[in-house]
Amino acid sequence: MPVLTLPDGSQRSFAQPVTVAEVAAAIGPGLAKSALAGRLDGRLVDTSHRIEADARLAIVTAKDAEGVEIIRHSTAHLLAHALKELMPEAQVTIGPVIDNGFYYDFACRPLTPEDLAAIEKRMGELAKKDFPVTREVWSRDQAVEFFKSIGERYKAELIEAIPAGEEVSLYREGDFIDLCRGPHVPSTGKLRHFKLMKVAGAYWRGDSRNEMLQRVYGTAWAKQEELDAYLHMLEEAEKRDHRKLGQQLGLFHFQEEAPGAVFWHPHGWRLFLDLIGYMRQRQEAAGYVEVNTPDVMDRALWEISGHWHNYRDHMFTTQTEDERVFALKPMNCPGGVALFKQGVKSYRDLPLRMAEFGKVHRYEPSGALHGLLRVRHFTQDDAHIFCTEEQMEEECRNVVALILDIYREFGFAQVRIKLSTRPEKRIGSDATWDKLEAALSNALDRMGMAYDRFPGEGAFYGPKLEFVLRDAIGRDWQCGTLQVDMNLPERFDIHYVAADNTHRRPVMLHRALFGSLERFAGILLEHYAGALPLWLAPVQAVVMNISAAQADYAETVAKKLREAGLRVDCDLRGEKINYKIREHSLLKRPYLVVVGDQEKAAGWVAVRSRDARDARGSPDLGQMSLAELIERLTLERAGKGVAV
RNA sequence: GCUGCUGUAGCUCAGUCGGUAGAGCAACUGAUUCGUAAUCAGUAGGUCGCCAGUUCGAUUCCGGCCAGCAGCACCA
């Protein structure tokens, strides 16, 4: 006689065991139709699940996040169903739900976009047939036997990994049957708003030593509008692609002779220099000194640091005539340590915060390269903080506070923190790792910061914090990092003289706030869709004349703006004003300053803003005095935001 | 690195079922001097990513390489 408690607190009792679907029907016909699954005492179950005892029950529909996940999961099965019908020789493997969609991996011949279209069409047909999706429970051995018998060896392998004697669930829709934990939608007719996105290779069990499978990605939603909105978001993201913007705005380029290396054009380099200048100022204020160390150093140094052992294959090396093997530095830390070793350091020198805008070189696998976001030669806003064990936690807190404040100034309000702990491949004792991991987690706890743990993901010499920021369209980017390290100090045998005149080992913090300057510049471009706020815009205003008669006045205006410290171009070409406005607007210049006879006579300027709108919603802000314009721009630049 | 796809003028792209290529924009020249997102006309511009092979003939077909794109793997 089950008594069921619904989410609103009301209770319903039934004379006999009931299914979730029957409960939904008892509540109302609308709910019966939209029910996708049930949440029974917190556990997701199919609508066909029979409830025998008292429980808390919620009917899951497409309005719930879980409902959408079930739709995605079931759509993955529908994909496998359709593909098996079209290609019976294909073998199925796994098909999980991911952000915004799902994928399914198959062992089959390489799929083409035409295949994808055909599969999608078949999925639509199968959905329309509204096959019931039914759950069956088999013994593990029976399931292994079955999948082997139909030639599904990947599936059989997966089930064999389940402990013997356990039962497994299978789901059947039409002629298709698949191993799955479930739950699934009650019938394929619930799957309506989906689209296959792309196909690509993926390794079996995610291991590059294994064979490559065909992975089909898809997206699925509860409503057509949501699917449309998602596709629209992807289009927007494409427009923000920093590689495209870099081309359009003339910021940088890449070419075949230098894979993974940036050719910075003047305007791009302006941004790069501004980022360094900003960081330099912030670091100086935070008590750092800046240094510079060699780019090419003897292999012996990298053997001491452990990089040679761990990353030799990813290092650029060079052999000179005298047979010495040098490496282009893949990290700045050994150089920093070498500087620390110069002279005798006292506890009074600590903490010693040593910053370096060092360019590092890493031979990244060719497939990893991606615009500015993943390059082989990049500049870190690196720093090494040498301190005592007692100072380490406070120094960590200082770094965290500095990072968060800087991200905020760049317009990133949402930042997530990841704590990565000791990896399998590491140097140093467990006792040391205990101390280091505690320093990071204590620092965060003391600051009341939330963070996620990633066991085994730390660097080989120490655990690390990683700072992940969320951009304007909700994408996450990993940027800053903070690592604590007692291992390199030991390997390089560095020490300081303590107050009691004994020699002690300092702790080393490695930190980078932007991470890679190149990457951060790329992220900024995507975040702002190329429309950099005034303080970062390579060209902040363009002065343009309407006709030749005002050329001299336009030059005077440009000169005065430059004297106020603004970066200003002057366009005196004999083109129509519409043409000039279009061109400079496409270049996303924040301000266009138009001067014609009226302005020249009155000594004024007409201002058009990229971001701001007047009361009528027009970007044309009308006439103002030059002093007013300078004040406006100076204020906006100091505020670091975008104009409104 | 792996799988698949792509590489034609400065940019965006069309084209050649094998007979050495075309548009728009940009550039250059001339005319136009114009009030808030493209004025008109003309000129010039390419060893069709690179190297081999098949062929009377390859940008097109085959193979190798390089680079890029998507995903996977990697990311000190």
Side-chain angles (χ1 to χ4, degrees):
Chain A
M1 311 310 108
V3 176
L4 298 177
T5 310
L6 301 175
D8 64 0
S10 67
Q11 295 195 324
R12 284 179 183 249
S13 53
F14 295 85
Q16 343 230 343
V18 282
T19 65
V20 173
E22 286 162 357
V23 178
I27 296 171
L31 193 59
K33 219 173 139 201
S34 57
L36 296 177
R39 173 167 281 283
L40 190 67
D41 286 334
R43 190 168 59 91
L44 285 172
V45 296
D46 294 299
T47 54
S48 61
H49 183 85
R50 183 169 296 276
I51 306 164
E52 316 265 355
D54 294 359
R56 301 180 65 84
L57 175 71
I59 306 295
V60 175
T61 71
K63 284 185 183 146
D64 305 303
E66 294 133 328
V68 177
E69 286 206 7
I70 291 168
I71 286 175
R72 289 179 180 151
H73 192 181
S74 297
T75 309
H77 275 236
L78 186 65
L79 160 61
H81 185 173
L83 185 127
K84 281 293 284 188
E85 290 208 341
L86 296 170
M87 299 176 62
E89 72 283 7
Q91 293 186 61
V92 297
T93 66
I94 56 163
V97 172
I98 53 175
D99 283 354
N100 303 318
F102 59 90
Y103 67 78
Y104 207 111
D105 287 348
F106 302 96
C108 63
R109 66 163 170 80
L111 298 172
T112 64
E114 293 73 54
D115 291 327
L116 235 54
I119 297 165
E120 189 175 303
K121 185 160 165 266
R122 178 60 64 98
M123 286 169 71
E125 291 161 8
L126 294 174
K128 237 187 214 131
K129 287 190 182 160
D130 202 16
F131 290 115
V133 182
T134 53
R135 183 173 198 268
E136 300 172 15
V137 175
W138 294 27
S139 78
R140 188 201 79 145
D141 296 342
Q142 189 189 2
V144 171
E145 204 50 47
F146 171 73
F147 281 105
K148 275 187 178 161
S149 76
I150 59 170
E152 294 280 5
R153 70 177 179 83
Y154 291 92
K155 227 26 175 202
E157 188 180 325
L158 287 172
I159 305 172
E160 273 173 339
I162 296 171
E166 276 193 29
E167 291 186 325
V168 297
S169 57
L170 281 77
Y171 280 79
R172 191 186 289 274
E173 56 184 62
D175 297 330
F176 178 70
I177 185 159
D178 198 2
L179 165 84
C180 190
R181 189 175 298 125
H184 277 287
V185 297
S187 69
T188 59
K190 305 285 182 197
L191 310 174
R192 292 165 62 199
H193 314 293
F194 56 82
K195 184 173 164 55
L196 298 185
M197 304 301 289
K198 53 193 160 201
V199 57
Y203 298 110
W204 167 235
R205 292 182 181 276
D207 190 326
S208 59
R209 288 167 302 194
N210 290 343
E211 60 272 37
M212 185 152 284
L213 307 172
Q214 294 292 308
R215 176 170 297 177
V216 177
Y217 284 90
T219 186
W221 299 83
K223 294 188 211 148
Q224 186 62 35
E225 303 89 80
E226 288 170 349
L227 174 59
D228 292 342
Y230 175 67
L231 297 177
H232 183 253
M233 191 278 287
L234 290 181
E235 276 172 40
E236 286 304 306
E238 208 172 308
K239 280 189 211 149
R240 286 166 180 264
D241 189 318
H242 73 281
R243 295 165 298 186
K244 203 173 258 184
L245 290 166
Q247 162 83 282
Q248 285 163 358
L249 306 181
L251 303 177
F252 57 83
H253 82 269
F254 293 88
Q255 62 187 50
E256 282 198 21
E257 293 81 354
V262 191
F263 289 78
W264 284 107
H265 296 20
H267 287 156
W269 191 241
R270 181 71 261 160
L271 171 63
F272 193 95
L273 289 177
D274 280 358
L275 293 178
I276 288 191
Y278 171 83
M279 188 57 76
R280 199 164 256 153
Q281 189 194 324
R282 295 297 309 255
Q283 282 177 169
E284 215 160 291
Y288 288 73
V289 291
E290 186 178 326
V291 298
N292 191 260
T293 67
D295 292 323
V296 181
M297 292 186 275
D298 196 290
R299 151 185 183 169
L301 194 71
W302 306 105
E303 284 171 352
I304 297 174
S305 70
H307 288 97
W308 193 265
H309 178 69
N310 284 292
Y311 288 103
R312 199 253 162 285
D313 290 346
H314 296 285
M315 287 166 73
F316 285 96
T317 56
T318 170
Q319 187 163 3
T320 47
E321 231 175 302
D322 57 5
E323 308 269 292
R324 287 180 72 176
V325 175
F326 292 88
L328 270 70
K329 64 174 169 187
M331 294 267 289
N332 297 304
C333 22
V337 172
L339 264 166
F340 184 88
K341 277 187 104 157
Q342 289 293 302
V344 178
K345 295 291 180 293
S346 140
Y347 72 97
R348 295 173 192 275
D349 296 320
L350 306 184
L352 175 54
R353 308 184 187 95
M354 211 152 69
E356 173 173 15
F357 293 98
K359 188 159 190 178
V360 295
H361 309 265
R362 300 177 181 176
Y363 186 75
E364 303 284 7
S366 56
L369 302 180
H370 184 91
L372 294 176
L373 302 181
R374 191 82 182 271
V375 289
R376 286 188 176 144
H377 312 270
F378 60 97
T379 312
Q380 290 180 320
D381 59 325
D382 209 353
H384 299 101
I385 301 172
F386 299 89
C387 63
T388 67
E389 241 178 87
E390 295 69 43
Q391 292 167 333
M392 135 169 98
E393 197 191 303
E394 187 186 348
E395 285 304 308
C396 286
R397 293 202 303 271
N398 290 342
V399 169
V400 173
L402 184 62
I403 286 194
L404 296 180
D405 190 56
I406 286 174
Y407 288 174
R408 186 187 50 76
E409 288 218 305
F410 277 91
F412 299 107
Q414 285 188 63
V415 183
R416 237 178 53 222
I417 302 178
K418 294 162 62 175
L419 169 61
S420 298
T421 54
R422 67 195 80 181
E424 268 178 43
K425 228 176 146 185
R426 62 175 181 265
I427 55 178
S429 71
D430 283 353
T432 301
W433 280 87
D434 288 342
K435 272 192 220 172
L436 295 173
E437 288 168 6
L440 288 178
S441 54
N442 289 345
L444 292 175
D445 291 342
R446 285 271 298 269
M447 295 177 83
M449 306 288 312
Y451 58 93
D452 299 316
R453 269 177 185 274
F454 292 81
E457 308 256 309
F460 72 85
Y461 48 76
K464 64 183 176 185
L465 295 185
E466 277 165 336
F467 298 83
V468 179
L469 44 84
R470 177 155 294 182
D471 79 5
I473 56 171
R475 296 172 302 177
D476 288 339
W477 306 92
Q478 191 163 303
C479 293
T481 168
L482 166 62
Q483 299 159 18
V484 286
D485 175 12
M486 294 173 121
N487 289 311
L488 287 188
E490 188 179 324
R491 287 190 157 228
F492 281 98
D493 190 26
I494 57 175
H495 41 77
Y496 64 92
V497 180
D500 61 3
N501 202 29
T502 57
H503 280 199
R504 300 244 178 106
R505 193 80 74 203
V507 180
M508 210 174 151
L509 272 58
H510 309 242
R511 49 111 280 201
L513 308 194
F514 292 145
S516 149
L517 270 294
E518 284 79 357
R519 179 177 158 83
F520 195 77
I523 292 168
L524 277 178
L525 286 173
E526 302 227 352
H527 177 60
Y528 286 114
L532 293 167
L534 192 71
W535 70 293
L536 294 169
V539 175
Q540 294 163 321
V542 182
V543 182
M544 54 191 84
N545 57 337
I546 284 177
S547 63
Q550 311 92 34
D552 53 343
Y553 179 62
E555 292 203 86
T556 311
V557 168
K559 182 162 176 278
K560 290 203 171 139
L561 290 170
R562 289 191 189 115
E563 281 167 4
L566 292 156
R567 302 194 281 256
V568 176
D569 275 355
C570 194
D571 184 352
L572 304 177
R573 292 174 304 169
E575 298 289 350
K576 293 173 76 166
I577 198 67
N578 279 324
Y579 182 87
K580 295 190 195 180
I581 285 176
R582 174 178 157 81
E583 201 164 85
H584 298 293
S585 296
L586 288 173
L587 289 170
K588 302 185 191 280
R589 303 301 183 224
Y591 283 96
L592 304 184
V593 180
V594 177
V595 296
D597 285 334
Q598 289 176 35
E599 288 75 18
K600 182 177 173 179
W604 284 30
V605 290
V607 178
R608 183 185 169 102
S609 166
R610 180 191 65 193
D611 308 310
R613 294 292 176 266
D614 73 3
R616 298 185 315 276
S618 164
D620 181 355
L621 306 184
Q623 294 174 330
M624 61 180 80
S625 71
L626 190 53
E628 258 179 281
L629 176 62
I630 289 175
E631 196 195 344
R632 181 188 177 103
L633 296 194
T634 311
L635 275 174
E636 185 179 326
R637 184 177 55 182
K640 293 189 168 58
V642 289
V644 282

